[in-house]
Amino acid sequence: MSKNENNAHRLDVPLNGVRGPKGAKKTPFEVDPRTLWRVNQYPSPFTLADVPTREKIGFKGKKDDGEEALAERSAMLADLQELMWAHVVAASEADQWEVAKAIAGRVPRRTPQEKARREELFSPEVETALNNLDRGPRILLVLQGMDASGKGGVVKQVVSSMDPMGIEVAGFGKPTPEEQREHYLERIIRRLPRPGLVGVFDRSHYEDVLVPSITGSESPEEIERRIEALILFERELVRLGFVIIKVKLLISQEEQLDRLVSRLDRKEKHWKYDPSDADARAEFDTYQELYSRVMEATDADHAPWHAIGADRKWYSRLAVQELLIAAFSDLKLRWPAADYDVEAERERLLKS
């Protein structure tokens, strides 16, 4: 069995006891989804122009096959999210420590040099907020993409298959006047998911690099400082138990135009259109260049960037689903053992 075949087999997650729905196939992709869309596989300097937007990378089936796989594996995703919550609320201290140690081990220990640099890049309020975060496993899915690239569809079709009680979705637009008076990371920290939950950022802390770069509201030196700050910020999140998946949904200009025009053609979609969407299209190439540079600079094994072609909505949704399944399976969680006599409780219930 080849390495890729072995990795693909693991995505049925037999290691933690969670089985997919009856008759579920193995991962529908021919290559390990952990590496299939990683930006580090492309030559440096990385450019999004090299990423195909319509090609079904790693998938041989047709649209019907992809939609079938998406529905088929959604139950598995729901089971895995429940397993993570169960681990946080009921696993033994020993099991919780082992998982926390394994996640934290994905990044280097904090050095005096890093500590000193954080003091320069972070505010005291940011450090306090990070120190006040609870430790424990949770997943943070970061979705970035141009308007109409399908971020909302991923949330509706993929994330919604999990228990709504276990999901926290946040979107980040223009900072409010109050937020503008804070360090830019403070509003991000307030919306981070708690242990046991899946957090989804529909746009994210990366907006605080991309938008100022386009508008010129911050100097190039400040932009470089912010990029470095994001690297240190994500390292600290992983030390606290975060599993970070960063996804750039990549759409062609032609496909984006069709989707934006369709919003104007349908009255019930007018609310989704913003006149600024047309302005952003004028900066399409500039945004792509910035994304490319920032993604390469902030890509890391503990916080990987995945560039996924999104001209085919079903394909990008299936891809994100498999990335989530892989992230869960890598935690190698186990259902917590009962701390009571199961048979005795069964008898008590039957007599009640």
Side-chain angles (χ1 to χ4, degrees):
M1 180 179 293
S2 70
K3 181 179 179 181
N4 284 339
E5 288 173 333
N6 184 55
N7 283 335
H9 178 73
R10 286 179 57 212
L11 295 190
D12 262 346
V13 278
L15 45 137
N16 54 31
V18 176
R19 306 293 181 184
K22 185 176 181 181
K25 300 174 184 177
K26 296 173 183 176
T27 176
F29 293 97
E30 296 181 301
V31 180
D32 183 357
R34 300 172 186 84
T35 60
L36 190 53
W37 305 283
R38 276 288 299 273
V39 301
N40 66 354
Q41 67 182 295
Y42 292 94
S44 182
F46 169 67
T47 173
L48 284 170
D50 290 339
V51 181
T53 61
R54 193 165 181 80
E55 185 179 335
K56 302 174 294 181
I57 299 176
F59 186 81
K60 282 189 173 180
K62 298 181 180 179
K63 180 178 179 179
D64 288 347
D65 302 312
E67 292 180 338
E68 180 183 353
L70 185 67
E72 194 174 64
R73 293 173 72 78
S74 63
M76 180 186 295
L77 189 59
D79 285 345
L80 288 166
Q81 194 282 319
E82 182 182 358
L83 174 62
M84 185 170 67
W85 177 250
H87 169 86
V88 168
V89 300
S92 67
E93 288 187 8
D95 281 351
Q96 291 197 17
W97 168 250
E98 285 300 317
V99 171
K101 182 179 178 182
I103 297 175
R106 297 176 181 180
V107 295
R109 291 186 177 183
R110 193 192 303 177
T111 63
Q113 293 80 6
E114 180 180 330
K115 184 176 184 299
R117 193 59 178 150
R118 280 171 51 144
E119 290 176 356
E120 297 178 21
L121 298 173
F122 295 172
S123 67
E125 291 78 12
V126 168
E127 287 287 4
T128 298
L130 285 172
N131 290 333
N132 288 337
L133 289 175
D134 293 329
R135 294 179 179 274
R138 69 273 248 183
I139 288 178
L140 177 61
L141 173 62
V142 174
L143 295 174
Q144 291 285 155
M146 299 291 286
D147 297 306
S149 61
K151 300 184 297 297
V154 167
V155 174
K156 290 180 182 179
Q157 298 296 318
V158 178
V159 177
S160 65
S161 66
M162 294 180 274
D163 187 341
M165 297 293 288
I167 306 297
E168 293 183 349
V169 180
F172 297 94
K174 182 180 179 180
T176 65
E178 293 78 10
E179 290 171 341
Q180 289 176 349
R181 291 190 288 269
E182 301 175 330
H183 190 284
Y184 52 88
L185 286 175
E186 288 187 57
R187 66 172 183 156
I188 304 297
I189 295 173
R190 284 194 291 269
R191 303 301 301 274
L192 289 170
R194 293 165 289 150
L197 303 184
V198 175
V200 182
F201 281 179
D202 183 346
R203 302 190 189 273
S204 67
H205 40 299
Y206 284 90
E207 295 298 298
D208 292 305
V209 170
L210 295 164
V211 175
S213 296
I214 292 290
T215 62
S217 59
E218 300 290 348
S219 68
E221 292 76 18
E222 174 59 20
I223 296 301
E224 292 303 321
R225 285 168 55 86
R226 290 191 177 195
I227 290 174
E228 184 181 358
L230 295 190
I231 294 172
L232 299 182
F233 176 63
E234 291 176 349
R235 280 189 193 174
E236 192 60 22
L237 293 186
V238 175
R239 291 177 184 132
L240 291 167
F242 284 78
V243 176
I244 303 174
I245 307 169
K246 297 181 293 191
V247 172
K248 170 67 166 75
L249 295 175
L250 189 62
I251 187 173
S252 66
Q253 284 185 284
E254 295 78 13
E255 180 65 22
Q256 186 198 38
L257 179 61
D258 287 345
R259 294 181 188 181
L260 290 176
V261 170
S262 71
R263 292 177 179 180
L264 296 176
D265 291 341
R266 300 167 61 185
K267 290 183 178 180
E268 71 275 16
K269 296 295 183 181
H270 285 178
W271 67 273
K272 296 185 70 174
Y273 182 83
D274 190 309
S276 65
D277 293 344
D279 299 329
R281 278 182 58 79
E283 301 286 356
F284 193 96
D285 291 339
T286 304
Y287 267 112
Q288 297 299 72
E289 290 175 10
L290 279 169
Y291 265 118
S292 299
R293 183 169 70 86
V294 173
M295 289 170 66
E296 183 170 24
T298 58
D299 176 65
D301 288 343
H302 60 270
W305 268 112
H306 305 271
I308 299 175
D311 280 3
R312 301 176 191 264
K313 294 179 181 179
W314 64 267
Y315 174 83
S316 56
R317 293 167 185 173
L318 184 63
V320 173
Q321 183 181 68
E322 286 304 301
L323 287 174
L324 285 168
I325 290 175
F328 275 120
S329 71
D330 285 343
L331 290 174
K332 299 184 180 180
L333 304 173
R334 295 190 296 269
W335 290 110
D339 58 358
Y340 50 83
D341 187 321
V342 176
E343 291 306 317
E345 290 304 308
R346 185 191 304 275
E347 290 185 17
R348 288 181 64 232
L349 283 173
L350 292 176
K351 291 177 180 179
S352 62

